[in-house]
Amino acid sequence: EHRKYGFTIFAESDAFWEEELGKDFKDITPADVQQWIVDKHQYTEGDVFTTDEDYANEKNLLNQWVTYHILPMKIPANKLVIHANEKGYSYSQKQVTIPVFEFYSTMGKRRLIKLYESRESNGIYLNRFPNLDNGRRGTYHELSCDVDKEGNYVDNQSENVLLYEALNGIIYGIDKPLAYTDQVRENLARNRIRFDSMSLFPEAMSNDIRKKESTDPRDQFVHIPPTSTYQYFEGMDMNNETHFVYLNSYKYDWCNNQNDELNAEGHYEITIKLPPVPRKGTYELRYRVLPNGDRGIVQFYFGTDKDRLVPTGIPVDLTKSGTDPNYGFEYDTEDDDYNNEIDKHMRSNMRMKGTEYVTNSAGSARQGSPSNLRHILVRQLLDPDETYYLRLKSVLDSDKKEMYMDYLEWCAKEVYDNPDTPEDIW
């Protein structure tokens, strides 16, 4: 019924600026802050910017610094990260267990920011990069966190949160300056960047569609019109023959990330804007699927020119589980060397098992069923200053077979092809 716009701002306090600049906050000017950014090197070495007074210009340093503090969606305090079915979590107890994270594209010049919470962090942080117990027999809990990787604590609990909530946005205080530095970029690139599909569409959060805590069918099955009728999601284009629905799946026992999923029928063709990569390098783009007989066959396309995207390979049959002889799935054994060989074999077929991170009553997505797969769609050199798109197009005559999307992953070569520390199973 509505398409509201919203914003989330992470802001340093007045007291911080008074101490840093030696002025009463009412006397601080934009030029003061911009000079502080220059002096403190609060930017990335390769950034190109101006330091004039044209602060509305995206090339301006202060513009770039401030917009990294802003997300183009209104995120309430209880959804800065979304707890659903990560290993060890239950809706009834609502106790934080293993780390929960979300990656978003900021406003202005599109850059990645990571929101994070774990039992050990004692709160929500921005750009936190801890040392995790992420071995094959590990717990995935934090073991420690280096001081320079603790990130920015987000105040989402004090009375200030209520004071700074507006009709179209909310401001959260942070405990230290937030900047997209070389160190942040490096740390992001050393992470596997898993982003839930609905995180790509700010309108879903601003309009209380995403993970709404309601079992009402109108909230569980949200239909989105095709682009020519009314472009509801700015980051998605779809043709007139696409019948698209968001399955909120609140309290469902589905082995999807955060339980929810995107679904479509018809002779669908859907194009999605992807988040940026953190730095230039070789990455894999992975697509996670929960195969079943209701799914269809999809041709994927990828590239920077939305009108001339290139096929990523042959069409992907979304009905096929890991038991397909071309995929090579085998259940994990007590022999981790053998398990590692199975993983390598699947990767040689451009497939991966599901994760140990997501669970349902049948177990983890990795252990519970061969019907949890990740397809490696792309492996190529990518640029952080480019915008990439992914298209999903049905190749079947039938208009009754489903498109499916749960989450996608960017994964840098130094993560998936690291000779010293193999990529974890989580």
Side-chain angles (χ1 to χ4, degrees):
E1 295 181 354
H2 305 282
R3 187 174 185 261
K4 301 175 182 177
Y5 292 87
F7 304 91
T8 298
I9 300 175
F10 303 106
E12 297 84 3
S13 67
D14 292 339
F16 168 82
W17 288 116
E18 288 180 330
E19 181 177 349
E20 285 291 311
L21 298 176
K23 290 184 176 183
D24 186 283
F25 74 89
K26 295 187 293 295
D27 298 325
I28 295 172
T29 67
D32 291 333
V33 178
Q34 183 163 255
Q35 188 59 51
W36 178 90
I37 296 168
V38 173
D39 293 342
K40 299 292 186 179
H41 204 89
Q42 296 289 292
Y43 53 87
T44 299
E45 193 63 44
D47 284 350
V48 177
F49 54 80
T50 62
T51 54
D52 55 22
E53 294 184 2
D54 186 8
Y55 304 121
N57 191 327
E58 192 175 289
K59 294 181 180 180
N60 178 270
L61 176 61
L62 183 59
N63 181 296
Q64 293 180 11
W65 192 81
V66 169
T67 52
Y68 190 64
H69 291 64
I70 307 174
L71 298 178
M73 66 195 82
K74 182 180 179 180
I75 309 179
N78 65 338
K79 290 186 181 178
L80 285 168
V81 295
I82 294 177
H83 296 277
N85 58 348
E86 65 271 18
K87 192 170 187 177
Y89 184 80
S90 72
Y91 278 116
S92 59
Q93 296 179 351
K94 294 189 176 180
Q95 293 179 339
V96 178
T97 56
I98 63 175
V100 176
F101 46 83
E102 200 82 75
F103 294 92
Y104 287 117
S105 300
T106 58
M107 290 198 68
K109 184 178 180 180
R110 296 172 72 242
R111 292 161 293 180
L112 276 182
I113 194 169
K114 177 185 180 183
L115 280 69
Y116 174 98
E117 183 180 28
S118 71
R119 179 185 294 172
E120 294 76 22
S121 70
N122 294 313
I124 293 173
Y125 282 77
L126 306 175
N127 295 337
R128 183 179 178 89
F129 303 98
N131 303 305
L132 299 172
D133 183 18
N134 60 356
R136 287 181 177 267
R137 308 291 171 174
T139 65
Y140 208 58
H141 283 273
E142 284 193 29
L143 296 173
S144 63
C145 189
D146 301 337
V147 174
D148 62 342
K149 297 180 182 178
E150 287 180 351
N152 306 71
Y153 173 74
V154 179
D155 178 9
N156 70 322
Q157 297 179 337
S158 76
E159 61 181 15
N160 290 335
V161 176
L162 297 177
L163 290 174
Y164 298 129
E165 182 168 6
L167 184 64
N168 69 333
I170 187 166
I171 301 173
Y172 295 102
I174 53 178
D175 66 339
K176 62 185 72 168
L178 173 65
Y180 201 51
T181 61
D182 287 297
Q183 184 183 38
V184 169
R185 282 194 184 217
E186 290 294 317
N187 287 329
L188 284 167
R190 295 189 186 107
N191 270 230
R192 175 184 47 237
I193 301 168
R194 180 178 301 150
F195 43 98
D196 191 86
S197 298
M198 284 300 278
S199 71
L200 303 177
F201 313 117
E203 299 84 0
M205 187 67 79
S206 298
N207 292 274
D208 197 23
I209 294 172
R210 184 180 176 195
K211 294 308 297 177
K212 186 171 184 178
E213 295 183 353
S214 167
T215 55
D216 188 313
R218 292 173 298 182
D219 299 320
Q220 293 281 47
F221 306 95
V222 184
H223 295 262
I224 306 297
T227 303
S228 63
T229 302
Y230 179 50
Q231 185 162 6
Y232 194 87
F233 289 156
E234 185 178 337
M236 175 190 290
D237 295 324
M238 62 180 99
N239 65 359
N240 288 330
E241 297 178 82
T242 299
H243 308 296
F244 183 93
V245 62
Y246 166 61
L247 303 178
N248 184 17
S249 315
Y250 178 60
K251 291 191 175 181
Y252 279 31
D253 187 33
W254 286 356
C255 207
N256 293 331
N257 187 54
Q258 301 175 3
N259 291 124
D260 59 353
E261 67 180 52
L262 309 184
N263 201 293
E265 290 185 353
H267 297 295
Y268 54 80
E269 185 171 341
I270 300 169
T271 304
I272 295 170
K273 181 191 290 186
L274 299 172
V277 295
R279 70 175 185 190
K280 192 169 185 177
T282 300
Y283 291 82
E284 290 182 347
L285 174 64
R286 302 166 181 170
Y287 160 84
R288 188 266 179 174
V289 65
L290 189 64
N292 64 44
D294 295 328
R295 314 293 191 209
I297 299 177
V298 176
Q299 177 65 64
F300 290 92
Y301 302 81
F302 178 81
T304 57
D305 185 341
K306 190 164 60 172
D307 299 320
R308 295 178 177 83
L309 300 178
V310 178
T312 63
I314 64 172
V316 177
D317 189 340
L318 305 186
T319 68
K320 290 184 177 181
S321 74
T323 57
D324 185 278
N326 293 320
Y327 292 176
F329 178 95
E330 291 186 28
Y331 284 102
D332 281 357
T333 69
E334 294 301 313
D335 185 343
D336 282 340
D337 288 336
Y338 182 77
N339 299 336
N340 187 47
E341 288 304 312
I342 295 300
D343 289 342
K344 289 180 179 179
H345 177 60
M346 290 188 68
R347 281 187 53 80
S348 68
N349 294 322
M350 301 296 279
R351 307 291 185 269
M352 298 176 67
K353 292 182 180 181
T355 69
E356 190 65 17
Y357 182 91
V358 175
T359 63
N360 70 349
S361 59
S364 72
R366 180 179 175 87
Q367 310 287 0
S369 168
S371 290
N372 281 283
L373 287 174
R374 285 174 285 176
H375 294 262
I376 302 171
L377 302 179
V378 172
R379 185 184 290 148
Q380 67 181 63
L381 182 68
L382 301 179
D383 191 315
D385 294 324
E386 292 282 0
T387 298
Y388 295 96
Y389 298 88
L390 180 69
R391 178 174 297 147
L392 301 86
K393 182 178 181 179
S394 175
V395 297
L396 297 177
D397 291 332
S398 171
D399 62 357
K400 303 300 182 185
K401 294 297 184 179
E402 295 176 347
M403 179 220 79
Y404 168 94
M405 183 173 285
D406 179 22
Y407 65 78
L408 298 160
E409 293 176 344
W410 289 129
C411 191
K413 181 177 172 60
E414 69 176 276
V415 176
Y416 70 75
D417 194 26
N418 192 310
D420 299 319
T421 309
E423 182 182 353
D424 66 59
I425 64 174
W426 295 86

